[in-house]
């Protein structure tokens, strides 16, 4: 299945960029959320973004970002896509797309059947969907918690736009997750780390290999 596209999220160093490129990742993600151990300053992100080889999409993960914050981000960091990981409404997703002219991926947390209609709703306005595990009620982070959901919930389901599977994926379980859900794109953050926010080149390589 060499057509599986992999996104490695939460990069922090130039070595991470090299490891992702070498492994064959299709997307790299930079996190702009102060509570996250993967949060980057605009300076750090700018320095990393210019190192990303052509052909790999650069994605910014933001959480309920204001127009001013997005203006500041895009003025400094060359990006290919915005990933909205907060409680943005479908109207806000459409607004961000129109205003900033970049493709928008909307993360939707899934815990049970009742969360599935939101995917269809956001599928009408976003360019891509990120189908993620819903964070626990008391979680500080909207994602990157290393949690999986019951993949059978979305087995065989399709939406009007491309989608990506996230949540608790590791080199050990990504193959099974792809088989169960039919995902053609997968996203990983904590599953390729040796410690929170510290990426492992070996795990990145193993993950991409296992996904394919």
């Amino acid at each position: 299945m060499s057509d599986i596209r992999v996104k490695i999220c939460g990069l922090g160093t130039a070595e991470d960029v090299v490891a992702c490129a070498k492994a064959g990742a299709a997307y790299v993600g930079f996190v702009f959320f102060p509570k996250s151990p993967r949060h980057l300053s605009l300076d750090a992100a700018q320095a990393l973004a210019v190192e990303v080889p052509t052909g790999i999409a650069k994605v910014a993960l933001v959480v309920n970002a204001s127009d001013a914050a997005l203006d500041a981000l895009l003025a400094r960091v060359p990006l290919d896509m915005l990933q909205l990981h907060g409680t943005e409404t479908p109207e806000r997703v459409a607004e961000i797309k129109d205003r900033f002219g970049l493709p928008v991926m909307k993360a939707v947390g899934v815990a049970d059947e009742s969360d599935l209609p939101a995917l269809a709703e956001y599928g009408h306005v976003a360019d891509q969907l990120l189908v993620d595990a819903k964070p626990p009620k008391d979680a500080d982070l909207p994602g990157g918690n290393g949690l999986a959901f019951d993949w059978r919930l979305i087995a065989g389901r399709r939406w009007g736009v491309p989608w990506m599977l996230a949540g608790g994926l590791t080199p050990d379980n990504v193959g099974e997750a792809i088989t169960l859900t039919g995902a053609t794109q997968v996203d990983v953050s904590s599953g390729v780390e040796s410690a929170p926010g510290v990426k492992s080149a070996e795990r990145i390589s193993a993950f991409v290999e296992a996904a394919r």
Side-chain angles (χ1 to χ4, degrees):
M1 291 293 289
S2 58
D3 55 349
I4 299 288
R5 292 163 63 81
V6 175
K7 174 170 170 279
I8 310 285
C9 196
L11 274 55
T13 67
E15 289 77 21
D16 294 348
V17 173
V18 171
C20 290
K22 211 165 140 185
Y27 305 81
V28 292
F30 303 122
V31 174
F32 301 94
F33 183 59
K35 283 184 177 177
S36 170
R38 304 167 190 96
H39 173 65
L40 291 177
S41 67
L42 295 186
D43 287 344
Q46 184 182 41
L48 284 185
V50 298
E51 298 291 327
V52 177
T54 309
I56 300 177
K58 300 178 290 292
V59 183
L61 185 159
V62 296
V63 179
N64 300 326
S66 64
D67 284 351
L70 291 171
D71 278 332
L73 170 61
L74 292 169
R76 295 289 300 282
V77 186
L79 292 165
D80 301 302
M81 182 179 277
L82 294 170
Q83 176 180 328
L84 309 182
H85 221 104
T87 54
E88 300 89 359
T89 61
E91 292 72 28
R92 178 64 179 148
V93 173
E95 200 176 276
I96 288 172
K97 257 179 68 164
D98 290 347
R99 182 183 159 116
F100 297 98
L102 279 179
V104 170
M105 185 186 319
K106 176 68 181 107
V108 178
V110 173
D112 56 44
E113 199 85 29
S114 67
D115 298 314
L116 299 178
L119 285 161
E121 202 179 334
Y122 283 106
H124 292 303
V125 287
D127 297 285
Q128 294 210 36
L129 293 169
L130 183 77
V131 186
D132 201 357
K134 203 175 207 174
K137 292 247 186 297
D138 56 353
D140 276 343
L141 306 177
N145 292 300
L147 297 172
F149 63 97
D150 182 351
W151 297 317
R152 291 168 302 190
L153 281 170
I154 59 163
R157 288 179 188 265
R158 297 294 172 267
W159 299 278
V161 291
W163 62 281
M164 196 177 275
L165 180 68
L169 298 177
T170 67
D172 301 324
N173 68 12
V174 66
E176 183 196 357
I178 289 168
T179 304
L180 272 177
T181 61
T184 57
Q185 304 194 104
V186 288
D187 180 34
V188 66
S189 184
S190 56
V192 291
E193 291 179 346
S194 54
V198 183
K199 293 287 182 277
S200 152
E202 291 74 29
R203 285 182 74 81
I204 288 172
S205 170
F207 185 89
V208 175
E209 208 165 300
R212 293 188 161 160

